[in-house]
């Protein structure tokens, strides 16, 4: 067995497309079982938060199981793998019996794109009437929380060695502020809040504060994991993304426009956090950053890695995000597994050494960072 690499995972939200992340994690857990990988931190917003919470929940359940200490990691990984499958099985079952119209529609689409289906046209009319139907993950949350995650927040309240820190983000509406809920603060209401798109659901109130989807202020939130990496002497942050950075042509329908606006907004928060981390990395590499006064852990380089399938996701269409049919979820899971297995051979040798994600090119392109240096003087 080689060196055990410690990583933090940041999981982006994107409705039902979160089943792609299920597949990524299912394959990644093989690395955990082998002893070559340890997950020290998890963060997420929206469906990314639901997936992160489920993963952390399963790892904790596995850690509490009896058995030889040498097999503890395997018990944790297998419990987490089973819990993730339970999550998506419950989502599919609840959506099917709940009469979600997109479940039947997507089963008839050979390419999983149902944007031109009768169900999609019905949804457009419903949205125009001011009374959009609750579909997708949001409509299944109560069942998921009751059946899959019944012990939150209690299961996260007590420290348990070898299990990752969990951070879930929601958006404080009044103060335009990101609120982080960590470990024992992650409750059923927090999961509802981080998944609350204002166009589909009423805001969620926690301790007198109203919240919307966490993706507006961090999808997924990265900086909460930086201190976690420093405290555990780890250097690698792996980001699993769902929302394509690029789509061909402008959106045509009202739902497509709104969804792309959400994708742009959600991706913007991600890119700005990546830009901040990359800037600090450059300062660290140049020896211009010293340990902060009064802090035990010095600033060190954070290596960034990304797992994505942007081209495949862009082909799926908007309404597939609300269509948790089991066959479609399995398709996304398998895509996630395949994507991980293609990406990991490049990421693995970079762990602890350097970023495998070209964040310089990303930030230069999306934030137009070079524009200020090329202007006429």
């Amino acid at each position: 067995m080689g060196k055990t690499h410690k990583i933090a995972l940041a999981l982006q939200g994107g409705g039902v497309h979160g089943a792609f992340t299920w597949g990524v994690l299912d394959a990644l857990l093989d690395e955990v079982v082998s002893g070559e990988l340890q997950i020290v931190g998890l963060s997420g917003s929206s469906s990314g938060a639901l997936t992160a919470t489920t993963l952390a929940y399963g790892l904790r359940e596995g850690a509490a199981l009896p058995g030889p200490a040498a097999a503890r990691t395997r018990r944790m990984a297998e419990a987490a793998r089973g819990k993730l499958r339970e999550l998506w099985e419950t989502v599919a079952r609840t959506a099917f019996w709940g009469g979600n119209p997109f479940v039947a529609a997507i089963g008839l689409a050979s390419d999983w794109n149902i944007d031109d289906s009768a169900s999609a046209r019905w949804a457009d009319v419903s949205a125009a009437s001011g009374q959009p139907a609750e579909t997708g993950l949001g409509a299944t949350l109560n069942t998921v929380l009751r059946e899959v995650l019944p012990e939150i927040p209690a299961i996260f309240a007590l420290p348990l060695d070898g299990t990752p820190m969990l951070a879930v983000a929601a958006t404080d509406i009044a103060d335009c502020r990101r609120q982080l809920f960590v470990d024992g603060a992650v409750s059923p209401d927090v999961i509802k809040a981080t998944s609350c798109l204002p166009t589909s659901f009423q805001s969620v109130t926690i301790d007198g504060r109203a919240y919307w989807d966490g993706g507006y202020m961090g999808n997924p939130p990265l900086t909460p994991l930086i201190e976690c990496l420093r405290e555990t002497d780890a250097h690698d942050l792996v980001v699993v993304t769902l929302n394509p950075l690029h789509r061909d042509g402008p959106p045509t329908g009202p739902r497509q426009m709104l969804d792309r606006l959400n994708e742009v907004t959600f991706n913007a928060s991600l890119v700005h956090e990546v830009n901040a981390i990359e800037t600090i990395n450059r300062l660290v590499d140049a020896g211009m950053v010293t340990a902060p006064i009064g802090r035990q852990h010095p600033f060190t380089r954070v290596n960034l890695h990304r797992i994505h399938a942007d081209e495949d996701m862009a082909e799926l269409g908007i309404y597939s995000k609300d269509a948790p049919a089991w066959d479609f979820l399995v398709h996304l899971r398998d895509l996630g597994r395949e994507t991980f297995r293609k990406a990991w051979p490049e990421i693995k040798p970079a762990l602890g050494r350097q970023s495998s994600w070209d964040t310089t090119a990303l930030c230069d392109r999306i934030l137009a960072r070079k524009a200020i240096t090329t202007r006429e003087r």
Side-chain angles (χ1 to χ4, degrees), residues 14 81 94 175 255 295 325 375:
R81 180 175 279 125
T94 304
D175 288 344
R255 175 68 185 270
R295 301 295 293 274
R375 74 188 192 280

Side-chain angles (χ1 to χ4, degrees), residues 13 41 49 56 86 96 118 132 156 159 175 229-230 232 250 270 278 282 293 328 330 375:
E86 182 186 358
F96 177 82
F156 298 130
D175 288 344
L229 289 172
R230 293 170 64 199
T232 56
L270 169 64
E278 193 211 45
R282 291 202 306 270
I293 298 174
F328 181 48
V330 169
R375 74 188 192 280

Side-chain angles (χ1 to χ4, degrees), residues 119-325:
S119 295
R121 290 192 291 274
W122 164 84
D124 284 338
V125 172
S126 176
S129 71
Q131 296 179 329
E134 294 185 358
T135 55
L137 284 180
T140 71
L141 275 182
N142 285 331
T143 302
V144 166
L145 290 166
R146 182 177 64 252
E147 297 184 9
V148 183
L149 305 170
E151 299 300 325
I152 61 170
I155 196 168
F156 298 130
L158 297 176
L160 188 59
D161 289 343
T163 59
M165 178 272 285
L166 172 65
V168 170
T171 300
D172 185 307
I173 302 169
D175 288 344
C176 186
R177 176 177 60 88
R178 179 166 73 187
Q179 176 66 50
L180 295 176
F181 299 89
V182 179
D183 290 337
V186 178
S187 67
D189 280 346
V190 167
I191 299 300
K192 293 177 183 178
T194 190
S195 306
C196 179
L197 283 172
T199 53
S200 300
F201 304 97
Q202 292 184 343
S203 62
V204 177
T205 300
I206 302 173
D207 295 332
R209 308 292 297 184
Y211 294 98
W212 279 340
D213 195 302
Y216 293 110
M217 299 295 289
N219 193 18
L222 304 186
T223 48
L225 296 175
I226 303 304
E227 186 66 22
C228 174
L229 289 172
R230 293 170 64 199
E231 290 177 352
T232 56
D233 192 28
H235 307 280
D236 295 282
L237 175 53
V238 179
V239 186
V240 182
T241 62
L242 303 176
N243 299 316
L245 289 168
H246 170 80
R247 284 186 182 271
D248 291 333
T252 55
R255 175 68 185 270
Q256 285 80 1
M257 293 177 188
L258 180 59
D259 190 83
R260 187 53 179 164
L261 177 61
N262 280 336
E263 287 183 341
V264 169
T265 304
F266 291 165
N267 281 333
S269 63
L270 169 64
V271 173
H272 279 288
E273 284 200 269
V274 168
N275 181 55
I277 294 170
E278 193 211 45
T279 299
I280 294 176
N281 278 345
R282 291 202 306 270
L283 295 175
V284 169
D285 292 344
M288 299 174 66
V289 174
T290 58
I293 298 174
R295 301 295 293 274
Q296 180 181 359
H297 305 285
F299 284 114
T300 56
R301 159 173 275 277
V302 174
N303 301 316
L304 291 165
H305 315 277
R306 179 183 179 224
I307 298 175
H308 70 96
D310 277 7
E311 292 184 4
D312 295 279
M313 290 298 183
E315 294 295 323
L316 293 177
I318 303 306
Y319 284 97
S320 65
K321 292 181 178 180
D322 288 331

Side-chain angles (χ1 to χ4, degrees), residues 61 81-91 147-148:
E61 281 193 330
R81 180 175 279 125
K83 184 59 67 173
L84 287 166
R85 183 181 179 89
E86 182 186 358
L87 165 66
W88 292 103
E89 286 179 337
T90 303
V91 168
E147 297 184 9
V148 183

